[in-house]
Amino acid sequence: MGKHLKLNIKNTQLAEAFKIKKKVEPAANVEAPKPAAEESEGEPKKKLTRLKEDATITSAVKQAEKTLAAKEKESEIPKKKKARIIASPEEAAKAAEAVEEEITAPSEAIEEAAPKEEAITPAAPPAVEKVEAPKAPEAKPAASAPAAEQPAYKPAHPMPAVAPRKELRPAKRKEEVRFDSRDRQGLRDTDNEAWRKRRAHKPLRRAVQEEIIRPKNLTVRLPITIKDLAQEMKLKASQLIAKLFMQGITLTLNDYLDDETVVQLLGHDFDCQIKIDTSEQERIRITDQTIRQEVGTTSLDDLVLRCPVVAFMGHVDHGKTSLIDYIRKSNRVAGEAGAITQHIGAFRVKTNAGDVAILDTPGHEAFFEMRSRGANVTDIVILVVAGDEGIRAQTEEAIRQAREASVPILVALNKADKPNFDAQKVYRELADRDLLPEAWGGTTITVNCSAVTGKGITELLEMIALQAEILELRANPKSRARGTVLESEMHKGLGAVATVLVQNGTLRKGDAIVFGHYSGRIKTMQDDHGKMIEEAGPSTPVKITGLSELAEAGNEFIVVKNEKEARELAAARAEGFKRETAAKPKLGSLEKMMAKKESGEKKILPLILRADVQGSLEALKTSLGKIRSEKVRLEIVNADVGEISESDIELAAASKATIVGFHTSIESHADDLIKQKKVPVYTQDVIYHLIDEVKNRMRQLLDKIEQETDTGEALVKAVFKSSQLGLIAGCQVTDGNIKRQHLVRQIRGGQVIWKGKMSSLKRMKEDVKEVQKGFECGILLEGQSDIKEGDIIQAYEITYLEQDL
């Protein structure tokens, strides 16, 4: 019985029962108080006895309550009754003795509590009725006895209800069980979930809001991004974007603002005075004055006369270079491919009328930029017109460029030695273009000359000297050198080489220069004859080396203090160039989509361009850009100066591009790679031949147009069936002739119902190659089983035509 008895008696429950017992004892059962000495001696023993009895009573009460509850449930719902074993008082006492050691351990605590309880000393506990457990019969186990037959325990003095103990700790919050990704992956351990150590709850740190002090005055450089401007103004970028959007300007975070008015209005809206900083731009520009303005502000004591810079301009093949050759006593024409000038030439020659700096510009329409540069840096334009041809397209263009540059024009009527030379015709054409000749009472100087016989050359030089004297051309040789880059090229041994014209000051070997967003330190200087020189004064064209990068033709150069300053200025200019490039408006996604849709049907020809000098490359790009086609679009993958190298071939193979070389060659070790990669390469020394090659390449990209040409017609008069061949059409040729290799179409009721080939053509049971008009023949159509009398069989052949651009 004892081992089946489960007692869950805690120390706190015993203590509560002990206190309640003392309170509820009736006064009649309390004995007379004893002397203090006797109480102190026997008090611990009495307490132990009372505790044992209380434990017995408490266990009996619990058992009785459980029995009553079971009976009530049985009365409501009939269930299978189970035997219940009720512990006897002796067994409960044994269980209480087992707990005795835990209760009596702190004996000191009991002794201290004894004096406080002297006032109320309860008498011995009332007698408890002993209830004997019925003995089960031997045949059946004890558990089979019904619970209803067991006598219930009834205490003599029922205990009052015990108040529940107050829980001092706060109740734990129940967590809602959720099915999440950990459950799906089988990572949640539900058995150990309750025992998981919780993380310590850290209170959220409250961000201390600092007061933002926005500036009232601000200085910025343009262009500036909206992000940077908002950071300077201590604002959110969204505030600036919203303000611009309200004004009808749609921009994003990284877009640039380059309009001074827009930036200042933005500052005004947010109570901030914005000032545009231009000090950095002024430092990068070095000077705000042009070369002519700088000369004009120089003291007359420092100025000296300089020789004039003369540019020979005119239509192609009108004799410009031939005149210069006669003046220089050289044979420059022999060095040019195709007998036309394709490079800008700069020379300084000594004549009886004084020194003259001559610029020879190309006359071909492709070299518009070269002529424009020549007109901008020159003092006098010599307009060369062939007397037997008159004014042509490039002549008119040269007149327009000279007027835009505000340069005086002197007309040289060349080819005076030819029999069909007509000066009066040229005078009329000049007068129609507001250039009235002196011979007709105007102000335009005209000279009849011949580059072959030398007639009029001396007079032409005298007129140039006279015009220069009238212009009073001066320069300051003591100032820092300034000038213009006329041409640049990449030399194998020297690197980047530039032909420059010094317009003011003196350029010396070792000077640090800045041109565009590049810099350099002059290592060598050569004159137009290839002779090394140490310095070059005003109106002197020279070829210089020692440049960091290839100079862009048309850039102005200026000498600075040292090479370090030159590098800093070049880096600042390069950064500014990048900012300006980024500030340019870009096509949005919609515009890109529309552009792609428009050019979606076009074929694309990717090109890699190589030229000997920068000006030629520029002319080549301009000429290619003028090719108009609605079917093919040119796309320049890369354009540079120099020979065609292995890296160019690798790039062309990767991008499936065609390499176009103008006045350049292929590196010796790159020939094998061209054959291996099968890259198409076109090289020409004459620009219009190269343009023709590109046009042919564009035509080859286009699909050829099929053109059907009818050759004969036959009428089906009978249809024969063959078990092996199928249907055979018995025909008579009514028009033209029908050949075995021709394609045929079958027409019924005026509509084409079939197209294909002939399997066989026979006449009188013999295979023939051709049947003429009026003869009968048998035709077997390949793969056609629907043939009827009255059908028409037409023979035709296809020719393929190239499309036009």
Side-chain angles (χ1 to χ4, degrees):
M1 293 289 286
K3 67 180 181 180
H4 295 292
L5 181 65
K6 296 181 181 178
L7 298 174
N8 189 13
I9 304 171
K10 295 185 180 178
N11 297 345
T12 54
Q13 291 175 341
L14 289 173
E16 287 289 327
F18 180 67
K19 289 178 184 178
I20 293 167
K21 180 70 177 174
K22 288 193 292 183
K23 290 178 183 178
V24 299
E25 281 295 332
N29 294 336
V30 179
E31 295 180 357
K34 294 183 180 181
E38 291 180 8
E39 278 185 2
S40 61
E41 289 177 2
E43 191 66 20
K45 293 181 180 180
K46 290 179 180 179
K47 285 183 179 180
L48 287 172
T49 307
R50 286 198 297 272
L51 286 172
K52 291 177 183 178
E53 293 173 354
D54 290 341
T56 307
I57 293 166
T58 306
S59 63
V61 168
K62 286 182 179 180
Q63 291 290 345
E65 289 174 354
K66 288 179 181 179
T67 306
L68 289 171
K71 285 183 178 181
E72 290 175 1
K73 287 182 180 179
E74 286 172 3
S75 62
E76 295 175 3
I77 302 170
K79 288 185 179 180
K80 188 178 179 180
K81 297 179 181 180
K82 294 184 180 180
R84 199 177 196 85
I85 300 169
I86 301 174
S88 63
E90 290 84 5
E91 290 171 342
K94 287 180 183 179
E97 286 175 2
V99 188
E100 185 180 347
E101 293 178 4
E102 296 178 13
I103 301 170
T104 58
S107 59
E108 291 83 5
I110 297 172
E111 291 173 0
E112 288 174 5
K116 297 177 184 178
E117 297 172 358
E118 287 178 359
I120 303 170
T121 308
V128 181
E129 292 177 310
K130 291 183 181 180
V131 181
E132 292 182 2
K135 293 181 181 179
E138 294 178 12
K140 293 180 183 180
S144 63
E149 295 177 3
Q150 295 178 3
Y153 170 72
K154 294 181 181 179
H157 300 282
M159 299 292 290
V162 180
R165 187 184 175 194
K166 188 177 181 182
E167 187 66 44
L168 299 177
R169 290 178 295 180
K172 290 183 180 178
R173 214 167 103 196
K174 278 190 176 182
E175 291 187 0
E176 295 181 4
V177 180
R178 295 181 180 179
F179 189 83
D180 55 10
S181 59
R182 288 172 57 82
D183 296 294
R184 291 192 205 97
Q185 298 172 12
L187 299 176
R188 190 183 297 283
D189 188 3
T190 53
D191 296 334
N192 298 328
E193 193 74 20
W195 302 100
R196 184 184 296 169
K197 185 177 179 181
R198 294 181 177 276
R199 292 181 181 177
H201 178 68
K202 294 181 180 179
L204 294 173
R205 294 182 182 178
R206 292 182 180 177
V208 180
Q209 291 186 353
E210 297 180 0
E211 187 179 355
I212 299 172
I213 301 172
R214 293 191 174 89
K216 297 292 182 183
N217 297 303
L218 199 62
T219 304
V220 297
R221 284 176 55 196
L222 294 182
I224 185 171
T225 61
I226 291 180
K227 179 182 176 182
D228 294 339
L229 182 61
Q231 191 174 358
E232 294 286 341
M233 295 175 69
K234 307 295 183 188
L235 292 168
K236 290 182 179 178
S238 57
Q239 293 176 270
L240 297 182
I241 292 170
K243 186 66 70 175
L244 289 168
F245 185 75
M246 295 300 291
Q247 301 299 325
I249 303 172
T250 307
L251 294 174
T252 58
L253 190 70
N254 295 316
D255 285 339
Y256 281 83
L257 293 171
D258 55 354
D259 191 351
E260 183 178 343
T261 307
V262 172
V263 174
Q264 289 179 343
L265 285 175
L266 271 177
H268 183 265
D269 289 342
F270 292 99
D271 195 20
C272 179
Q273 190 71 26
I274 298 178
K275 187 179 178 182
I276 308 301
D277 182 16
T278 57
S279 59
E280 184 66 17
Q281 293 178 359
E282 291 172 2
R283 186 182 75 86
I284 290 172
R285 279 200 306 265
I286 304 173
T287 177
D288 291 333
Q289 294 180 329
T290 63
I291 296 172
R292 291 181 181 178
Q293 289 173 346
E294 188 177 279
V295 172
T297 56
T298 308
S299 174
L300 289 174
D301 298 335
D302 296 330
L303 296 177
V304 296
L305 288 170
R306 63 173 178 84
C307 64
V309 179
V310 178
F312 281 71
M313 301 176 72
H315 193 72
V316 62
D317 204 24
H318 273 205
K320 299 180 294 297
T321 307
S322 301
L323 286 172
I324 295 170
D325 285 343
Y326 194 90
I327 295 170
R328 293 185 69 208
K329 298 294 189 294
S330 66
N331 190 12
R332 181 169 167 78
V333 174
E336 290 288 352
I340 62 168
T341 303
Q342 301 179 113
H343 301 82
I344 190 167
F347 322 98
R348 182 163 176 166
V349 295
K350 292 182 179 181
T351 65
N352 296 330
D355 290 355
V356 179
I358 298 174
L359 300 181
D360 184 14
T361 62
H364 195 274
E365 62 175 350
F367 300 93
F368 171 81
E369 295 294 333
M370 282 191 187
R371 289 192 296 276
S372 180
R373 283 195 296 276
N376 288 332
V377 301
T378 192
D379 301 315
I380 303 169
V381 168
I382 307 296
L383 187 65
V384 180
V385 182
D388 58 340
E389 292 185 15
I391 292 176
R392 291 287 184 267
Q394 271 65 58
T395 314
E396 292 183 358
E397 186 187 88
I399 294 169
R400 186 172 63 253
Q401 288 173 339
R403 283 175 173 168
E404 288 174 357
S406 302
V407 178
I409 299 174
L410 194 152
V411 181
L413 301 180
N414 195 20
K415 301 186 181 181
D417 56 307
K418 284 197 173 183
N420 55 349
F421 178 82
D422 188 357
Q424 296 300 319
K425 175 189 173 184
V426 179
Y427 290 164
R428 282 193 302 272
E429 292 175 345
L430 289 171
D432 292 340
R433 290 159 180 81
D434 297 331
L435 291 174
L436 193 63
E438 284 184 338
W440 284 17
T443 57
T444 304
I445 301 172
T446 57
V447 178
N448 297 342
C449 56
S450 172
V452 178
T453 61
K455 177 189 175 182
I457 300 295
T458 306
E459 187 183 351
L460 178 63
L461 294 174
E462 288 174 357
M463 288 296 127
I464 292 171
L466 178 62
Q467 190 72 31
E469 191 176 341
I470 294 169
L471 294 173
E472 292 186 356
L473 303 171
R474 297 179 183 272
N476 181 13
K478 297 179 183 178
S479 68
R480 60 184 176 183
R482 291 182 68 181
T484 304
V485 178
L486 299 176
E487 196 61 274
S488 62
E489 60 181 315
M490 189 63 71
H491 195 276
K492 257 189 175 182
L494 301 174
V497 179
T499 302
V500 300
L501 176 69
V502 182
Q503 295 173 272
N504 191 33
T506 302
L507 185 65
R508 296 178 178 85
K509 185 180 174 181
D511 283 350
I513 62 170
V514 178
F515 52 94
H517 45 272
Y518 300 119
S519 63
R521 182 174 174 272
I522 297 173
K523 293 180 179 179
T524 61
M525 277 200 302
Q526 297 177 356
D527 61 5
D528 55 312
H529 296 288
K531 183 182 176 182
M532 292 290 180
I533 55 175
E534 294 295 321
E535 62 179 31
S539 300
T540 306
V542 289
K543 190 175 283 188
I544 60 173
T545 61
L547 311 178
S548 62
E549 292 289 341
L550 198 66
E552 191 171 337
N555 281 347
E556 185 181 307
F557 75 88
I558 188 168
V559 173
V560 294
K561 188 176 179 181
N562 51 44
E563 192 175 359
K564 181 182 177 182
E565 184 181 350
R567 281 198 298 267
E568 289 175 356
L569 288 169
R573 286 184 178 187
E575 184 183 352
F577 177 73
K578 287 180 182 177
R579 288 161 65 94
E580 288 174 5
T581 306
K584 289 180 181 177
K586 297 181 179 66
L587 284 175
S589 58
L590 181 61
E591 288 85 351
K592 283 182 181 176
M593 187 175 67
M594 294 300 293
K596 189 175 181 181
K597 187 177 180 182
E598 288 175 4
S599 63
E601 299 177 358
K602 286 187 176 183
K603 302 272 187 179
I604 297 174
L605 176 62
L607 296 177
I608 294 176
L609 307 182
R610 286 293 175 270
D612 56 342
V613 295
Q614 188 76 28
S616 299
L617 181 65
E618 193 177 62
L620 181 59
K621 289 168 70 174
T622 305
S623 299
L624 291 174
K626 289 180 180 178
I627 299 174
R628 301 297 176 197
S629 174
E630 296 179 355
K631 302 170 184 176
V632 183
R633 178 168 59 88
L634 292 176
E635 186 175 292
I636 297 175
V637 178
N638 191 11
D640 208 346
V641 173
E643 291 184 335
I644 298 170
S645 61
E646 288 184 344
S647 59
D648 299 332
I649 298 161
E650 294 284 357
L651 178 61
S655 58
K656 297 180 180 179
T658 302
I659 299 176
V660 177
F662 177 50
H663 255 293
T664 187
S665 58
I666 304 170
E667 290 182 354
S668 57
H669 52 276
D671 289 329
D672 295 336
L673 191 61
I674 291 173
K675 295 175 183 176
Q676 180 185 343
K677 298 285 185 181
K678 296 180 180 178
V679 174
V681 179
Y682 299 107
T683 55
Q684 286 289 343
D685 291 337
V686 181
I687 192 163
Y688 48 80
H689 290 168
L690 194 62
I691 300 301
D692 292 340
E693 289 280 0
V694 173
K695 285 182 178 179
N696 290 334
R697 179 67 178 167
M698 292 170 69
R699 288 191 193 96
Q700 290 173 11
L701 285 178
L702 296 174
D703 297 329
K704 292 183 178 180
I705 300 173
E706 291 185 1
Q707 186 178 9
E708 296 181 357
T709 307
D710 292 342
T711 58
E713 188 175 300
L715 177 65
V716 179
K717 289 191 170 184
V719 179
F720 306 100
K721 290 184 180 179
S722 172
S723 58
Q724 295 179 350
L725 302 175
L727 296 179
I728 300 171
C731 307
Q732 184 177 11
V733 180
T734 58
D735 189 18
N737 57 356
I738 293 177
K739 293 184 179 180
R740 170 71 180 77
Q741 69 270 21
H742 284 173
L743 298 171
V744 293
R745 64 174 79 93
Q746 183 182 359
I747 299 173
R748 182 183 297 166
Q751 292 184 351
V752 178
I753 63 171
W754 181 83
K755 275 187 176 184
K757 297 179 181 179
M758 285 187 287
S759 297
S760 174
L761 178 65
K762 289 191 176 186
R763 172 166 167 73
M764 303 297 291
K765 299 183 180 181
E766 292 181 1
D767 289 328
V768 292
K769 292 183 178 180
E770 183 181 358
V771 179
Q772 298 292 334
K773 180 181 176 181
F775 291 96
E776 293 182 348
C777 61
I779 299 175
L780 180 64
L781 302 180
E782 185 177 330
Q784 174 63 340
S785 59
D786 182 15
I787 303 173
K788 294 182 180 179
E789 292 183 14
D791 290 350
I792 296 172
I793 296 175
Q794 288 182 348
Y796 66 93
E797 56 185 2
I798 297 176
T799 54
Y800 294 93
L801 305 176
E802 286 189 355
Q803 295 188 52
D804 292 330
L805 296 175

